Structure formats: structure tokens, C-alpha cells
Amino acid sequence: MCLFDSSSSSSSSIMGSELNVRDLSSSISKNDRASSSSSSSSHSKLLTLPTILTLARVASIPLLVATFYMDGWQGTAVTTIIFTAAAVTDWLDGYIARKMKLKSTFGAFLDPVADKLMVAATLILLCTRPLKVVALARAPWLLIIPSITIIGREITMSALREWAASQGSKVLEAVAVNNLGKWKTATQMTALTILLATRDCSRGGPAILAGSGVFLLYIAAGLAIWSFVVYMRKIWKALLSE
């Protein structure tokens, strides 16, 4: 009887150990699956369709620079197409993010960065090569003034928004994008598209079109200053109300 009890106890102990090993193995497997699922979910949230479109805009900047210095109408056409595509995706990624509810913190950070990089690169490129338009070639500084204004405003607003994020909700709401900022963006995108498309023109209708591009760029610079003043007034009121 004692031998039987000992054998039974030993067998029960072994079975118990096997069950424990199986439970442990099952638990590890579940944890691995959960970890894999969590990692996959994290990656899917990070690389959404709007974010991929934004990354494509950033990646297209070197192509924009390379094609800008190509001689002939082919270079002008390709540069204009790249910039136009970037401007369209700038609107499209925001629309998709809102429509499909694919907003992410990384995307919200990257989108304005991509926009500012594209605009700043284009403005600098246009300033390095005076327009081949008789009336404008004699005054290359015409593009430098609005370019410095727009780039300076964007740098200042980026720093201002970063500071506002640490000051509280009221100040942060004061620097939220307003209609003036949207009009400024639309005007400067239109102006830069025209200037890129007509930079090799020399006379006639295209020359007038190039002049309209410069005119729109000055309007964009004026809207940039105006919107900046509006932002500063809102920030001042927010600080006084605290």
C-alpha cells in the first residue's frame, strides 16, 4: 500500500509539473501574441496613409532641388509638377486623416514640418536663380523681400507654438490655425506654382503671368504678417486673462 501511494503521489506530481509547464507555455504564447499585436497596432498607428503621404512630401524635396537646376523646359515642367503634387497631398493627407479618422500625434507633428520645408526650399531656390523675365531680372531683390518675410514668420510661429504648448490651454488655443493662416498658405502655394512654371519665360503673356506670381507672393507675405499680429494679440489677451 505504501508503495502504491508513493507511486501515485509521484505520478500526480509529474502530471502536476507537466500541467504547470503547459500553463506557463500557454501564458508565454499569449503574451507573445499580445506583444506582437500591440507592436503591429503601434506600427499601424504610426504609419497611416496620411503620414506616408507626408513623408513622401519630405522625400520629394531633393528631387525638387535637382530638377530646379536642370536646363530647358523639361526641368521647369518636372519641378512644377513635383511642387504641385506636394501642394495637393498637403491638402489630401489632412482630408484623409479627418475623413477616415487616422489622426496621429506623429502625423500632426510631421505635416506642418513637411509644409514649411517644401515652401522654404522653393523660396530659397527661386532667390538663387533670378527669373528670366526682363522686368523682373533687373530687380532680383523683389523675390528676396517676401521670401525672408515668409520664412522668418514660419520660424517664429514654430517657436511660438512650442512655447505656447508649455503655457496652458488658453495660450495654446490662441495659436491654433485661423482663416488668415489658411488664406496665406493657399496664396503662397498658388504664387510659388506660378513662379516655378514661368521662371524660364522671357516675354508676352507668360511674363505677365510671372508678374502675377510675384504679386501673389507679396500678398502671401502681407497675410503672413497680418496673421502673426492676430496671433500675438490673442496670446496677449490669453496671458492677461490668467
Side-chain angles (χ1 to χ4, degrees):
M1 285 295 293
C2 290
L3 288 172
F4 178 78
D5 291 343
S6 175
S7 175
S8 175
S9 174
S10 176
S11 175
S12 176
S13 176
I14 292 170
M15 289 176 66
S17 297
E18 288 177 351
L19 288 173
N20 288 336
V21 169
R22 289 176 184 173
D23 289 343
L24 181 60
S25 176
S26 176
S27 177
I28 292 173
S29 178
K30 287 180 180 177
N31 288 337
D32 287 343
R33 285 198 297 270
S35 176
S36 176
S37 176
S38 176
S39 176
S40 176
S41 176
S42 177
H43 288 157
S44 65
K45 288 181 180 178
L46 186 65
L47 289 178
T48 60
L49 179 57
T51 304
I52 292 172
L53 289 174
T54 304
L55 288 170
R57 289 213 313 276
V58 176
S60 68
I61 294 175
L63 293 175
L64 181 83
V65 176
T67 57
F68 183 85
Y69 289 104
M70 290 172 58
D71 294 326
W73 66 268
Q74 295 94 337
T76 300
V78 174
T79 305
T80 306
I81 290 170
I82 291 172
F83 184 83
T84 304
V88 171
T89 56
D90 183 28
W91 169 83
L92 185 61
D93 59 16
Y95 176 79
I96 292 173
R98 291 189 300 271
K99 197 73 174 176
M100 300 178 64
K101 297 180 180 179
L102 294 174
K103 293 181 181 180
S104 66
T105 305
F106 180 64
F109 152 76
L110 188 63
D111 183 66
V113 172
D115 178 38
K116 289 173 175 57
L117 285 174
M118 178 62 72
V119 170
T122 304
L123 287 169
I124 292 169
L125 288 172
L126 288 169
C127 288
T128 60
R129 261 193 171 186
L131 294 173
K132 294 180 180 179
V133 179
V134 176
L136 299 175
R138 296 172 183 172
W141 51 267
L142 279 174
L143 286 181
I144 295 175
I145 293 175
S147 297
I148 291 175
T149 302
I150 292 171
I151 293 174
R153 184 264 189 192
E154 296 300 339
I155 293 172
T156 306
M157 281 304 304
S158 295
L160 197 61
R161 287 195 170 101
E162 185 176 353
W163 168 80
S166 65
Q167 296 302 306
S169 58
K170 286 186 178 181
V171 179
L172 191 57
E173 287 175 6
V175 294
V177 177
N178 57 29
N179 288 331
L180 276 175
K182 292 177 181 179
W183 277 108
K184 184 269 301 179
T185 299
T187 306
Q188 78 182 8
M189 289 299 187
T190 304
L192 292 177
T193 301
I194 292 172
L195 290 172
L196 286 173
T198 60
R199 61 192 177 91
D200 287 332
C201 298
S202 58
R203 63 182 181 276
I208 295 174
L209 190 60
S212 69
V214 175
F215 178 70
L216 285 174
L217 193 62
Y218 271 89
I219 291 178
L223 289 172
I225 295 172
W226 186 6
S227 62
F228 178 75
V229 172
V230 171
Y231 285 130
M232 291 304 297
R233 288 180 62 185
K234 287 183 177 180
I235 290 172
W236 183 251
K237 288 181 180 179
L239 290 174
L240 290 177
S241 64
E242 290 182 351

